[in-house]
Amino acid sequence: MTALAGKLAGRLPEKLTANSGALLGFVLGALVLLVVAPAVLSDFRLSLLGRFVCFAIVAVGIGLAWGRGGMLTLGQGVFFGLGGYVMAMHLKLADAGPSGVPDFMRLYGSGQLPFWWEPFRSPVVTLLGVVLIPALVAFGLGAAIFRRRVRGAYFAILSQALAVAFATLLTGQVATIGGFNGLNGFRSFFGYNLFDPVNKRMLFYIAAVTLLVMLLIVWQLYRSRYGELLIAVRDQEERVRFLGYDPANIKIVAYVLAAAMAGIAGALFVPLVGIISPANVGVVASIAFVIGVAIGGRATLFGPALGALVVAYAQTTLSESFPSFWTYFQGALFVLVVAFLPGGLSSLVSVRRRQRADAQPSSTEPPSPVQRVEADGPPPPEPLSGVPAGSETSR
Amino acid sequence: MQALFSQLVAGLSLGSILLLAALGLALTFGQMGVINMAHGEFMMAGAYTAFVAQGFIADAGVSLLLAIPIGFLVGGVMGVILEATLIRRMYHRPLDTLLVTWGVALILQQAARDIFGAPNVDVRAPTWLSGSVNLGVAQVPAARLFILALAVAAVVGLSLLLKATPLGRRIRAVVQNRDLAETVGVSTRSTDRLTFFIGSGLAGIAGVALTLLGSTGPTLGTSYIVDAFLVVVAGGIGQIRGAVIAAFGLGLLQATFEYSTTASIAKVMVFVVVVVFLQIRPQGIFSVRTRSLA
């Protein structure tokens, strides 16, 4: 779709090109996800794609926080898990009946429902909790960390430690939250039978529409003044501070949004896949979310989602037949893409587009920096990792 | 009193393990700002070195004592290879280094799985380390005392190296002001490489020590790496003593929390303590003063 946008770029005014490129992307994405995929794929394949779409939603959030905001969050699994576990608790309670207790509690524990399960009997509390609980946790953590100007590598390590802590906590609680096995065996989703293929298809549509909505939100953010500020904070945090803004607030907004997106993705993941366990929230799962974003192009609009879809697809197909090869492949992807192609695969497309533009300087204006960022174009060439340029003197 | 003492011992023992794992990181992360996620896999390599050494030498004691320097070399050489091929190109992109070295870690783990098999392997402890020592108030497993001694030796050795040798002086100069060090003729290139060798070598020693506590598997490193980084973050950059205090502090905290709750809740509480602590001292316990903005 970027190649097509590139063809259009020669004819249309700049601002219009950026928007129409993104719009074209949305139309194509909606067509593929909502029309082509349901028509072509079997029920099984479609729900598999639904799972990938959930990962793509997380990736959109990581693209916002890391690609645009420079916050490498290695703990998105925590928020994914919070949303997922909230939804899973509701589904377990709904399956157990009005005053029932989830089956595993009678198996491992006293059969008493812990008090913090009670609120999630209500569908409204659950749906709010899916968004608000991850957002609140992210707000608390973000406020604590960013206000004290802990950043860069420190933030990445802390977010990763959070993932370890959360996964360990869940694993230790067998009687109250399912422990290592997690929560599984859901039969219905808000009254709809989960074994019915029609309802499974419905779930896929919900996930696909959610992904498109999240992309729309992020697109509008990138076009706004806030989007410009976020990039400014990533590239020159001190300068933004000197200009009178509080970088902490700007970062917190992006971090909280990313967390909420991960929470929603987790909540969709649970009915689609039928299980959530500590393995879905730990360090390995959290860092796996990041690789798709890196490969797709962290600072672009569609790159993170596309990258996540491709990586998830590759993982399913490759790891089924060659589990050992997949791990080598994944490791090599990390090394090659991050070390030698920090803009991700989308930067390949843009480099070619730019080369073509350079070849015919009279026909096309070079895109302005602002427009390049807004379009599905290359990320700004310099400090990608959010390091202030001042620190480069210290290598 | 008895309970208090046994907690103290448990905390010190955990702290010494954390310290061994974090000491090398304090050097590479502190000195160069490189986040090496493959550090845990260098530990794993050290642990497998002890396993292989035992295959050649029947006597468990001799093979363990030999494995310590060999593990240092194995870890160090792996570190230098990593530095020369990848990290050298990425000094100005610390976050990307984290991801790249994570990829390397994945590859090394899978390599270990393919070479040594997925199941864990065991290293026999020598007879003089399998009993426990009576310290009057409590019985302490000899292996844990050995690890404590090893950690102390590693700290003393590293401090001596940094304080009293020309290489140490160069390392400190590069930490404090890289540009100025280069201006007065210190080769930062070779200093970086040697620092990385020593830091990764320490990971190898830590791996050898870990074989005394449990079995060795491909994911050995993953279980320690995050805690080790937490120690370095809490301890502050560029100083050994920060890592020492943070390691024993976190070890004691973990042991205390574990005593009153469970291991998993204790882990969460330690994380909360570190986050709260960073509220008070965002730079960690100690930090080298610099005039840079970052």
Side-chain angles (χ1 to χ4, degrees), chain B residues 217-279:
Chain B
T219 55
L220 175 104
T222 332
S223 41
Y224 286 96
I225 185 77
V226 180
D227 287 339
F229 268 117
L230 222 47
V231 165
V232 179
V233 166
I237 296 287
Q239 302 244 1
I240 303 296
R241 56 184 173 152
V244 174
I245 293 174
F248 285 114
L250 292 188
L252 286 172
L253 269 181
Q254 171 90 21
T256 317
F257 289 148
E258 254 177 58
Y259 181 71
S260 39
T261 59
T262 65
S264 59
I265 292 180
K267 200 147 195 163
V268 179
M269 287 167 83
V270 167
F271 171 74
V272 172
V273 168
V274 172
V275 170
V276 171
F277 176 75
L278 287 179
Q279 292 295 298

Side-chain angles (χ1 to χ4, degrees), chain B residues 75-153:
Chain B
V77 168
M78 286 171 82
V80 166
I81 293 173
L82 181 67
E83 203 268 353
T85 50
L86 283 172
I87 292 175
R88 186 166 61 87
R89 302 165 199 280
M90 315 189 53
Y91 277 122
H92 58 289
R93 295 190 288 160
L95 287 185
D96 287 1
T97 324
L98 193 162
L99 293 175
V100 167
T101 49
W102 176 266
V104 173
L106 277 181
I107 294 173
L108 289 177
Q109 272 176 37
Q110 189 59 38
R113 218 168 274 137
D114 287 346
I115 297 170
F116 297 100
N120 287 0
V121 296
D122 279 306
V123 176
R124 271 177 295 115
T127 43
W128 45 275
L129 281 182
S130 43
S132 54
V133 180
N134 195 345
L135 287 185
V137 212
Q139 295 277 337
V140 183
R144 292 190 174 262
L145 276 182
F146 180 74
I147 291 177
L148 186 62
L150 198 62
V152 170

Side-chain angles (χ1 to χ4, degrees), chain A residues 66 70 72 74 144-145 148 151-154 156-158 160-162 164-165 168-169 172-173 238 283 287 290 298 324 327-328 330-332 334-335 338-340 342 385 387 391 393-395, chain B residues 29 35 37 86 89-96 98-100 102-104 106-107 110-111 114 178-179 188-189 192 226 229-230 233 237 264-265 267-268 271 274-275 278-280 282 293-294:
Chain A
W66 177 40
L72 176 53
L74 298 176
I145 292 178
R148 293 300 293 176
R151 63 188 155 204
Y154 281 68
I157 289 165
L158 281 181
Q160 190 166 47
L162 178 71
V164 176
T168 331
L169 184 69
Q173 310 296 313
E238 295 301 335
V283 172
I287 215 162
V290 174
R298 58 183 89 156
S324 154
T327 317
Y328 286 125
Q330 195 185 14
F334 259 114
V335 173
V338 180
F340 302 107
S385 46
V387 188
S391 66
T393 47
S394 61
R395 240 167 83 175
Chain B
F29 185 34
I35 309 175
M37 295 300 283
L86 283 172
R89 302 165 199 280
M90 315 189 53
Y91 277 122
H92 58 289
R93 295 190 288 160
L95 287 185
D96 287 1
L98 193 162
L99 293 175
V100 167
W102 176 266
V104 173
L106 277 181
I107 294 173
Q110 189 59 38
D114 287 346
R178 180 174 290 270
D179 293 333
T188 51
R189 191 74 277 288
D192 283 342
V226 180
F229 268 117
L230 222 47
V233 166
I237 296 287
S264 59
I265 292 180
K267 200 147 195 163
V268 179
F271 171 74
V274 172
V275 170
L278 287 179
Q279 292 295 298
I280 306 161
L293 276 172

